[in-house]
Amino acid sequence: MADLFCSTYEVVYSPVEEEVQIRGEVWVLGRRYCLPQDFQDLQRRVLSLVWCTYRKHFRAIGGTAYTSDSGWGCTMRSGQMLLAEALLRLHLGRDWRWTPGVTDRKYHSVLRMFLDKPDSFYSLQQIAQFGVDFHRKIGDWFGPNNICQVLRKLAQYDGWSNLAVHIAMDLILIESEIIDICTRKESEGDLKKKRKSFDEGKCNSTAEEFLGAALGNGGMVTPSAEFKPLLLLVPLRLGLDSFEKKYIASVKACLRVPQSVGIIGGRPRNAFWFYGCQSGDEGKLLYLDPHTCQSAVEPVHDAVPDETYHCAESIHAMSISDLEPSLAVGFFCTCIEEVKDLFTRLRHDVLGVGPAIFEIFDVRPRNMPRIPDLPESLSGDDEDFSDLLGEQSPEPSAGQFDDEEFEVIEMPDV
């Protein structure tokens, strides 16, 4: 299958530490594989992941001269991969596997949401343009927190998936509040506000109309939905200038949770999407690398030419100790039972293996102030999150993780 890709992409920069022959116990997004006996299952699972990379030859973004995101879009692409995994799990199920030539219309509907077109919900164009609300000009490099904030805003338009996206900016997870986010019905006023923003063209409605027609659900959801699938994003900074090794066990434990949709992170000058890990104290992290530049594709009869959205290369791995300290962990739940199970696992399987990387409460303690949510308005004049924290987001240096608005965790060892 590797020959399928040879003529379609070029490697812009290959920061791969090694392409490994992995043995022993491996975890991929909450599932365990014992190698070498489970190698074929592992290989098929990795091949089924959506691979988002740099693209070229797409229409210029927002009146700029950018027709490629090569050199600055790797964090955006890593965020796309995390979100694509959540959407595939929602619409096709955890056990779905990709095969060349697949014609499943829900699968192609998901892929269409990530095409490099201004009318695709989660396109590079939409992400870059919404980044302006967070002091990121088109062509600027994003950090992990930036992409989390933008995906949260974009998800409000996606009536087909109807996601509830929560970002734990204060490193605090309040179980009752997060459950409320998933089960709270939207008012008619909120829905009218979304429709108004759609009509004003912030997010082109063509993709919405396509999804409504293709799936027969009429597009935007109604207030009768009893549960919104939860995408929980936890931006972290695990060290000051470098990743602190005392957090290795906790980070790897996040990837063993069944609700995991991976980690957005990387090392200096490069962002990746981490989807798995090896067992053992110094086991490596497995990742998909967006640093390959491929040509943008166009749908053919509503189907996406999808060969370049799946990576047939060898499995890539890197030492967890080489991580940059800034990263974002993602979890996804499709029902209330999964939310409750997630909190049980986070308490015991993540917080129980090393220094706490966040805190969990059943309800918010009375003396605990809450960092204000991002404004619900979808207009372009939203108050910026950095202003709520009393600081401005720094301009990023080219190709580096910035400090963003993270708090450095210095909790006592347990």
Side-chain angles (χ1 to χ4, degrees), residues 244-266:
E244 294 194 20
K245 293 184 178 180
K246 64 182 180 180
Y247 298 116
I248 287 178
S250 299
V251 171
K252 291 172 62 177
C254 289
L255 292 168
R256 292 196 292 268
V257 174
Q259 294 85 348
S260 172
V261 285
I263 297 173
I264 302 169

Side-chain angles (χ1 to χ4, degrees), residues 135-169:
H135 299 300
R136 292 296 183 266
K137 299 186 297 292
I138 295 173
D140 278 354
W141 194 88
F142 277 33
N145 175 54
N146 299 134
I147 186 62
C148 290
Q149 300 290 355
V150 170
L151 291 180
R152 178 183 183 270
K153 295 195 74 171
L154 287 174
Q156 296 178 77
Y157 295 111
D158 180 4
W160 178 39
S161 304
N162 193 26
L163 301 180
V165 182
H166 179 73
I167 304 175
M169 283 303 302

Side-chain angles (χ1 to χ4, degrees), residues 350-375:
V350 176
L351 299 184
V353 299
I357 57 176
F358 45 75
E359 294 185 88
I360 298 177
F361 295 92
D362 293 329
V363 297
R364 184 174 293 274
R366 291 183 179 180
N367 62 345
M368 180 181 291
R370 180 175 181 174
I371 294 180
D373 288 334
L374 284 173

